[in-house]
Amino acid sequence: MIYKLDFYKNKNIRIFKEKVGYILKGPLGSSLPIPYNNFVNISFNDSYITLESFEPSFFFLYKKLFLQKIKGVLYGCKTKLKLKGVGYVAECIDNLLILKLGFSSIINIEIPKTIKIKIKKRKLLKILGCDLNEITQFAANIRRFRIPEVYKGKGVLYFKEKVILKIGKRN
């Protein structure tokens, strides 16, 4: 059985075949490469991208990857983080993100060139970019410094994340 998909390529998107994989470039920037695979035949011309495969799992994976990258370079992606705790503050100076998360020293994180960060009220970080994988990985790296604790709920949380609190000592 052959799985085949033709989907329309927007005029603003250009696809390049590089050594590492297929790179999509659009109005907001370029995406991370989609690696080559022997199980999926990918061809593209001026108006269509064609995916063909005998393996359904690889076909649907590459279909999702291409649709995600196209959406990212056309419209962009975003993730929000919230700092919850007394004295937890974020600042952005040039390409450096400065976090104060209750440690004795501040945390400096270099922001990649493809990512933009907007900070509201020093507690809410909005991470913007054109590649969803890169944005979510960067957000996970920030969150790793102070994972929300289960007794007070303090830490770096995703925007609408709810932390289920444990009951402390009862004596």
Side-chain angles (χ1 to χ4, degrees):
M1 178 177 231
I2 297 177
Y3 293 90
K4 185 175 179 178
L5 172 72
D6 290 331
F7 53 91
Y8 178 70
K9 185 174 79 168
N10 192 313
K11 295 177 183 175
N12 297 333
I13 296 176
R14 297 183 311 278
I15 300 175
F16 298 101
K17 195 173 187 179
E18 301 287 333
K19 288 183 180 180
V20 291
Y22 298 101
I23 296 177
L24 282 76
K25 293 187 179 180
L28 295 179
S30 63
S31 67
L32 291 176
I34 299 172
Y36 299 120
N37 193 324
N38 295 333
F39 296 107
V40 180
N41 296 326
I42 300 169
S43 59
F44 48 89
N45 58 19
D46 292 339
S47 59
Y48 285 98
I49 300 171
T50 305
L51 302 174
E52 291 182 290
S53 178
F54 288 103
E55 295 286 331
S57 58
F58 285 113
F59 173 76
F60 289 111
L61 170 70
Y62 273 78
K63 173 187 168 188
K64 188 68 174 177
L65 282 174
F66 268 98
L67 290 174
Q68 180 184 32
K69 303 288 183 183
I70 288 172
K71 181 182 174 190
V73 296
L74 280 179
Y75 307 113
C77 304
K78 67 179 177 179
T79 301
K80 293 181 183 178
L81 292 176
K82 181 173 56 172
L83 303 178
K84 187 174 180 187
V86 177
Y88 289 12
V89 174
E91 296 175 14
C92 191
I93 299 173
D94 295 331
N95 65 341
L96 214 68
L97 178 66
I98 299 170
L99 297 172
K100 296 176 185 173
L101 298 176
F103 298 116
S104 61
S105 61
I106 59 175
I107 300 166
N108 295 324
I109 303 172
E110 188 174 337
I111 302 169
K113 293 179 181 176
T114 57
I115 292 178
K116 295 177 185 171
I117 294 182
K118 295 182 180 177
I119 299 174
K120 289 187 179 177
K121 297 182 182 177
R122 301 176 70 179
K123 294 278 189 180
L124 184 65
L125 291 107
K126 187 186 279 188
I127 304 169
L128 305 165
C130 62
D131 196 348
L132 185 65
N133 294 337
E134 191 176 17
I135 290 171
T136 53
Q137 183 62 50
F138 188 73
N141 290 341
I142 293 172
R143 182 187 157 100
R144 193 173 50 186
F145 287 109
R146 191 62 97 169
I147 296 172
E149 61 177 43
V150 293
Y151 291 105
K152 293 183 182 177
K154 298 185 336 181
V156 180
L157 290 83
Y158 291 111
F159 184 62
K160 291 190 177 181
E161 180 181 12
K162 301 280 184 194
V163 178
I164 299 171
L165 299 178
K166 288 185 176 180
I167 299 172
K169 290 185 177 180
R170 294 189 182 184
N171 285 342

